[in-house]
Structure formats: structure tokens, C-alpha cells
Amino acid sequence: MPETPEKFNTAMTTWQEWQEAPWGRLRYAIAEANLARHLVGLGGGPLRILDVAGGDGGDAMRLANRGHYVTIVDYAPAMLAAATERASAAGLTELITCVQADVTALPADLTDGEFDVVLCHNLLQYVDDVPGTLTTVLAPL
């Protein structure tokens, strides 16, 4: 990725303020409603979801609250620390796993094809090779 983890670490306060602002809350509410509608058809039990570039867990928390297992992959350690803190505060540590990695080179243990869903919200605008990145992040399906 052309961006450095530090860029995302330093922008975290601004990101979290945006999430709490009306437009941020609306974005997450719409995303949650759309995801819920599509996830219903994937089976009755909990799903394994890979949330690439999942940041501080905004989408992951909502999915884990619905009983799904979510693995967040992100480039920025501060974002993952915030996601871990959010999961702990919400009592969701059993359902959420955080992995620090560049999403264009996922760790081997994530590419085993064991995921039911891959999310890549807030990712593609940060990569130079969109087709290559999509090929990499969709491989775990």
C-alpha cells in the first residue's frame, strides 16, 4: 500500500469524530442494514467474516453483535488497538479477532478459504492496483 500505517494512526481521532457525527452514524446504519439484508441468505448460523481495512471495528462491532465471527485486518496498529478496546468494552472479544497486515499481502492463515464474507469498506480508494487487491482480499472466500 502506498500509505504508511502512521498516516492512519495519526488520523484516528478525526476518523472517530466523523463516525460519531450524523453523516458517519448514517453511513454505518445504512451499511449495517444492507449487510443484514444480504447476510440472511447465507445460512442460519454465525458467519465467518473477514473485514479487510476494518480500522477501529465500526462495521465489525455491528456484525459481532449479530453473532458473527469477524476477523479485522488493518495496516494501522492504533486502529486495531481501538478495535480491540471496542470489542472488549462491548463484551465481543470472543467474536472479534484483530490482525495487523497489509491487505495486499494477507497472512497465509487467512487465505485458507474459510470465510463466508469479505468486507472491504474504506479500502479501494487507498490502493493503486484495485483488481489485484480485490483478487487478494477475495481469495479467503
Side-chain angles (χ1 to χ4, degrees):
M1 290 182 73
E3 309 291 343
T4 64
E6 291 77 27
K7 174 183 177 175
F8 298 101
N9 286 343
T10 59
M12 193 161 80
T13 300
T14 303
W15 174 248
Q16 289 172 328
E17 288 171 358
W18 178 84
Q19 286 178 315
E20 294 303 318
W23 291 114
R25 290 192 320 266
L26 178 62
R27 177 263 184 230
Y28 280 99
I30 290 170
E32 181 179 16
N34 285 331
L35 284 169
R37 187 178 73 227
H38 291 288
L39 296 180
V40 168
L42 296 179
L47 299 171
R48 289 193 56 215
I49 299 172
L50 181 62
D51 186 1
V52 293
D56 66 346
D59 291 307
M61 298 304 143
R62 289 163 172 81
L63 293 164
N65 271 324
R66 293 176 177 268
H68 302 297
Y69 295 94
V70 185
T71 299
I72 302 169
V73 175
D74 203 276
Y75 200 45
M79 288 287 188
L80 292 172
T84 299
E85 186 176 310
R86 287 175 83 175
S88 179
L92 298 171
T93 56
E94 299 283 324
L95 297 173
I96 294 182
T97 303
C98 294
V99 176
Q100 183 183 356
D102 182 335
V103 299
T104 62
L106 293 174
D109 61 328
L110 296 181
T111 60
D112 60 3
E114 298 284 329
F115 290 93
D116 303 303
V117 175
V118 173
L119 298 181
C120 57
H121 297 159
N122 296 312
L123 168 64
L124 299 179
Q125 66 268 35
Y126 295 107
V127 299
D128 294 327
D129 178 15
V130 171
T133 300
L134 285 173
T135 298
T136 299
V137 302
L138 295 177
L141 285 173

